[in-house]
């Protein structure tokens, strides 16, 4: 069992519960990065971004007993990062996500399915 991948999948599931767009988990373990996994999702508005972040934080704490070490950004900045150490959750406005293209920056990282 891999705690990081399980956490990333749980975060993806909770983001999907709040209708997050295009959830992608990148496995950074082989390519090196600031964490083992990135989850990148997008939302349409400030309230949508807040709802996604809130759903993930609540569910992860309740089911896995983990809180983020740090929360960076906010819905006004259109980019929220939940830092769980081994997993970084990027919740981005759709336009900002298209601009920064994190999936392309980490293009060597395999995507986690299922």
């Amino acid at each position: 069992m891999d705690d990081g991948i399980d956490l990333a999948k749980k975060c993806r599931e909770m983001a999907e519960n709040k209708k997050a767009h295009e959830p992608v988990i990148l496995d950074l373990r082989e390519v090196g990065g600031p964490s083992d996994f990135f989850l990148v999702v997008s939302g349409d508005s400030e309230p949508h971004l807040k709802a996604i972040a809130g759903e993930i934080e609540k569910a992860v704490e309740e089911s896995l007993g983990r809180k983020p070490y740090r929360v960076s950004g906010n819905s006004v900045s259109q980019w929220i990062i939940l830092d769980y150490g081994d997993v970084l959750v990027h919740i981005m406005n759709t336009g900002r996500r298209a601009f920064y293209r994190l999936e392309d920056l980490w293009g060597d990282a395999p995507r986690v399915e299922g």
Side-chain angles (χ1 to χ4, degrees):
M1 173 179 262
D2 186 325
D3 291 341
I5 199 162
D6 292 340
L7 174 59
K9 288 180 177 181
K10 181 68 170 180
C11 291
R12 178 177 60 194
E13 177 188 344
M14 294 304 100
E16 289 172 335
N17 282 352
K18 288 297 181 181
K19 309 294 187 218
H21 305 297
E22 300 179 53
V24 174
I25 298 173
L26 300 174
D27 184 342
L28 304 176
R29 293 176 293 185
E30 297 296 318
V31 299
S35 66
D36 291 342
F37 298 94
F38 274 4
L39 169 62
V40 184
V41 303
S42 46
D44 298 320
S45 64
E46 290 179 32
H48 192 199
L49 298 176
K50 285 173 70 171
I52 295 166
E55 181 77 1
I56 291 170
E57 284 188 82
K58 179 181 176 205
V60 168
E61 185 174 354
E62 287 176 358
S63 65
L64 302 175
R66 292 184 62 177
K67 293 182 180 185
Y69 297 115
R70 186 172 41 250
V71 177
S72 302
N74 54 48
S75 59
V76 175
S77 71
Q78 301 179 343
W79 190 345
I80 301 169
I81 301 172
L82 304 177
D83 180 355
Y84 287 98
D86 49 354
V87 177
L88 289 178
V89 180
H90 296 267
I91 306 161
M92 307 172 81
N93 171 276
T94 304
R96 190 160 290 245
R97 181 176 179 179
F99 179 80
Y100 284 101
R101 300 178 15 228
L102 289 182
E103 296 95 327
D104 293 340
L105 288 174
W106 296 95
D108 293 345
R111 294 180 182 217
V112 175
E113 304 299 329

